[in-house]
Amino acid sequence: MIKASHKPLLVWFFKVFTKIIIHSKFHKIFIEGDTSPTTSSMLVINNHFSWWDGFFIHYLNNKLWKKRFHVMMLEEELEKRKFLSKGGAFSIRRNHSTTATSLIYAKNILKNDAQNLLLMYPQGKLQSMASRYLRFEPGVQHLVDKTKVPVKMVVSLVDFFEKPRPSVWLYLKDLYYDPESEQTIEQSFNLFMDECIEHHNQDTDL
């Protein structure tokens, strides 16, 4: 697997670049929901529909939480852009002998330093923003069960309306997960995503 590091110059570059590119490519950024920081490390789970998704969460972290950013990426994608590992990206290979190693690495990120933030896309692949139900890989459930860290669910939605540049809406909610409950993290996220889409459709009704 490819491990993450945080080279100060590249961390600074990614922070500045994220702010510039987000504000240059999007008309407005709306943030709504549970934005409060945590005193411990945190896991962020997000729908994954575009090249922009990592920038959205990086933007949120820089604006709201200011933690040390990590993101789990598919190894075949990180191999093409290895410089991202210097800003906190590390790799996982699905259904491979090294998958468990990557999950242990992710668990240590969450358990070893309260300043760490880990972003995961639990569905493990890009899916259309129009998808109304996301199927999760088992890794996120395993990490939450093992670490008990706070989890932020983030649903990203993008619309143009009458503007030439799109706006992005970032909806946030803390996951209140009861391991004794029959409701899985996958189900909790999908219920939240349904709520976000319904709210978004009403709130942005022209």
Side-chain angles (χ1 to χ4, degrees):
M1 65 168 289
I2 303 170
K3 296 183 178 181
S5 61
H6 290 83
K7 301 298 182 184
L9 184 59
L10 275 175
V11 169
W12 173 85
F13 170 79
F14 287 134
K15 181 177 180 179
V16 173
F17 181 73
T18 295
K19 184 176 181 179
I20 291 171
I21 197 170
I22 288 282
H23 284 289
S24 66
K25 298 298 184 180
F26 291 90
H27 175 64
K28 283 188 178 180
I29 300 94
F30 299 93
I31 301 171
E32 185 174 331
D34 297 329
T35 60
S36 57
T38 65
T39 55
S40 67
S41 60
M42 61 191 292
L43 174 64
V44 177
I45 56 177
N46 181 215
N47 59 320
H48 190 25
F49 66 90
S50 76
W51 177 86
W52 286 101
D53 300 331
F55 287 104
F56 295 153
I57 306 303
H58 200 257
Y59 176 86
L60 279 177
N61 183 48
N62 292 335
K63 188 176 181 65
L64 300 175
W65 307 311
K66 298 176 174 58
K67 290 185 175 290
R68 189 179 298 108
F69 183 82
H70 299 77
V71 57
M72 179 186 286
M73 292 180 60
L74 291 175
E75 188 156 311
E76 57 264 34
E77 296 302 320
L78 188 53
E79 281 280 2
K80 301 172 189 174
R81 310 170 186 87
K82 279 192 175 180
F83 69 95
L84 293 177
S85 67
K86 309 302 182 185
F90 66 97
S91 71
I92 187 167
R93 294 182 69 179
R94 296 171 66 186
N95 305 316
H96 190 266
S97 59
T98 60
T99 301
T101 302
S102 294
L103 289 174
I104 292 169
Y105 185 79
K107 182 181 71 173
N108 289 334
I109 287 171
L110 293 170
K111 293 189 76 171
N112 290 348
D113 194 329
Q115 286 303 307
N116 285 340
L117 176 151
L118 172 58
L119 166 63
M120 287 182 66
Y121 303 110
Q123 64 270 44
K125 60 182 179 181
L126 285 163
Q127 287 184 269
S128 168
M129 191 172 60
S131 301
R132 292 300 294 260
Y133 196 93
L134 305 181
R135 300 286 180 185
F136 283 11
E137 297 288 330
V140 67
Q141 187 81 46
H142 172 81
L143 277 180
V144 173
D145 288 341
K146 292 295 183 181
T147 64
K148 307 294 191 298
V149 296
V151 180
K152 291 274 186 187
M153 300 184 292
V154 181
V155 172
S156 308
L157 300 174
V158 173
D159 270 312
F160 282 83
F161 296 120
E162 79 282 8
K163 304 294 184 183
R165 287 186 299 153
S167 291
V168 57
W169 284 258
L170 302 172
Y171 297 102
L172 287 69
K173 185 176 183 179
D174 293 326
L175 173 69
Y176 296 101
Y177 173 62
D178 179 2
E180 303 300 321
S181 170
E182 294 183 0
Q183 183 168 297
T184 64
I185 294 173
E186 176 186 299
Q187 291 168 332
S188 296
F189 186 90
N190 280 290
L191 283 171
F192 175 53
M193 189 165 69
D194 274 343
E195 293 170 5
C196 292
I197 292 171
E198 292 300 322
H199 172 71
H200 182 75
N201 287 338
Q202 294 173 10
D203 199 44
T204 59
D205 186 11
L206 297 178

